[in-house]
Amino acid sequence: MKEPKAPKIEFPCEYPIRIVGHAAPDYKDFVLQVVAKHDSEFDGKAKMKTSRNGKYLSATVVIMATGEPQLQALFEELKASGRIQMVL
């Protein structure tokens, strides 16, 4: 039995990303600055959600993805900051 192949993404496309990190007053601004560096068309909008206990914040953004290198660079910069727990 063959395993199904993951769907291939056709670039450019709108690409939603959820970014989860420790709650801080400047969390949203930090996320928006990093995302804007990787997408010149980013509209600066983020849907924010606080975890049940208030320890984490989740920011959901939609970028115009141009390719795998762009996504990889964005994910790496977010993770390297030490402020981000997960990028989905």
Side-chain angles (χ1 to χ4, degrees):
M1 206 172 187
K2 291 184 180 180
E3 288 189 33
K5 291 183 180 179
K8 189 141 179 118
I9 298 172
E10 292 188 31
F11 296 104
C13 66
E14 289 187 349
Y15 193 88
I17 301 171
R18 179 173 292 160
I19 305 159
V20 181
H22 290 286
D26 67 336
Y27 180 77
K28 181 178 179 180
D29 291 336
F30 168 75
V31 168
L32 295 179
Q33 286 177 344
V34 173
V35 171
K37 287 194 322 191
H38 294 274
D39 178 7
S40 61
E41 296 179 24
F42 180 59
D43 63 9
K45 294 180 184 174
K47 182 178 176 184
M48 302 299 295
K49 185 175 179 183
T50 305
S51 67
R52 191 175 334 152
N53 63 8
K55 185 175 179 180
Y56 298 100
L57 282 174
S58 168
T60 302
V61 298
V62 178
I63 68 166
M64 182 55 67
T66 58
E68 288 291 332
Q70 175 204 31
L71 294 175
Q72 190 65 37
L74 173 58
F75 290 4
E76 286 177 11
E77 183 172 351
L78 288 167
K79 295 290 261 178
S81 72
R83 300 184 66 176
I84 305 303
Q85 298 302 110
M86 283 189 291
V87 180
L88 308 167

